[in-house]
Structures are given as C-alpha cells and as structure tokens.
Amino acid sequence: MKPQVIIAGKTSPTSLWIFGYGSLVWKPDFKYKSSKVGYIQGYKRRFWHGDNFHRGNDDLPGRVVTLIEDDDATTWGMAFEVTGSQVEESLKYLNVREAVCGGYVTKLVDFIPEDDQVNQTHQALLYIATPDNPLFLGPASPEVIGHQIATRQGKTGHNLEYLLRLAEFMRRRCPHVDDPHLFSIEAAALALVPYLLGAQ
C-alpha cells in the first residue's frame, strides 16, 4: 500500500508522525519538525530481512531489521513529526529508500513517546518487511546473522555500520531497554572483526 493511500483517511494530512526502528533512528535524511524517542507495542525488532541494495548485493545480501508481530513485545525507536510540505517530501524520499530499494510496505501504528505524561499516543507511519517479501531471510542464530553482517557491504555502506549505529542509539537514547536480540548479534559480529582484519 502506498504511503499516500495509508494517510488518505487522516483528518489533517498536513502533519504526520513517522516511526523509525532501524537506520531511520540515526539517519533520517529528511526534514522534520520534531522528533521523540518512544515505543510501539505488538511488534518485536528482528534482523530477519535481506538487503541487496543499501547493505549488501544480490549475491551477498546484508541483514537489516524488520518488525515481527508479537502481542507481548515492545519496540523502541524514534518518531519524527513532519508538517506541511515536509509530509509529501518525506514520503517521496522514504518510498524510494524503504519501499523501492528496501522492499518494505507501510503500516499505521500507535506511537507512545518516552516522555509522555498524559498517556497521549500519536498515530505513526512505519515501514515493515513481511515474510512474503522475496528478500525476507527469516530467523538464524546470532552467530550466523553476525557473520553475515560482518561480511556484507552495499551502496550505502558496510552492514556492520548499520548494526553498530543501531546498537549505539539504543544504549545512548534508550539505556533502560534490554534488547538481547540486537546486542547478541552485535557481540557475535564484533568477535569476528579481528579475524576479518587479519585476513586482509
């Protein structure tokens, strides 16, 4: 579903929140009015999606995050508020970055800001890769995923950078949140770096 279609029912299409849980948290690359750290419920973040453009190629796809439905899960990230002309500009940009080049589709979710004092939620747009996507790789052990990430590179950069920047965001902006999936993969990938450097 196109982003323009998913917001067609909004009463005020001049503003929109966009929730990021992967590279968007540290590299949004679009203009926005404000940003907030917070979370969504009912989804867990997993390195289960393949990337043959930004962080890999057709022969050696990288691993990037997507969201998997889980009623008991919570995913932390960053939401960006876009207003006025920023709405159309950001959606055009993200449609290419996430949908055309990344294979993601859009959904609307309830975003809860970390500093929320009045239980106020924002309906937010997010991009998600589903299991029926041809690039979807599915689950694997932290060691397997870590090895794939440590040895992949795409047009945007090394897959390891993607992993490390996401882990850095979580430690810096969400220090109270435990993310064993993310941090176990980070540890597995970093353990390989000395061997990879020695092989060069």
Side-chain angles (χ1 to χ4, degrees), residues 10 28 58 60 88 132 144 159 174-175 186 191 193 195:
K10 288 178 60 69
D58 290 334
L60 296 171
E88 184 176 359
D132 58 355
V144 169
N159 203 177
C174 311
E186 179 195 32
V193 170
Y195 299 99

Side-chain angles (χ1 to χ4, degrees), residues 17-32:
W17 285 88
I18 299 168
F19 180 71
Y21 57 92
S23 61
L24 284 183
V25 303
W26 51 269
K27 188 180 174 63
D29 279 351
F30 57 83
K31 294 180 180 179
Y32 54 90

Side-chain angles (χ1 to χ4, degrees), residues 2-3 49 51-54 91-106 127 133 135:
K2 299 291 186 183
H49 189 50
D51 186 337
N52 63 354
F53 184 84
H54 295 292
L91 290 179
K92 282 184 177 179
Y93 168 72
L94 289 172
N95 186 52
V96 174
R97 171 175 164 174
E98 305 293 338
V100 176
C101 296
Y104 289 73
V105 297
T106 49
Y127 290 79
N133 188 299
L135 290 171

Side-chain angles (χ1 to χ4, degrees), residues 23 33 192:
S23 61
K33 178 183 177 181
L192 294 172

Side-chain angles (χ1 to χ4, degrees), residues 130-145:
T130 56
D132 58 355
N133 188 299
L135 290 171
F136 191 84
L137 298 177
S141 69
E143 291 74 22
V144 169
I145 296 177

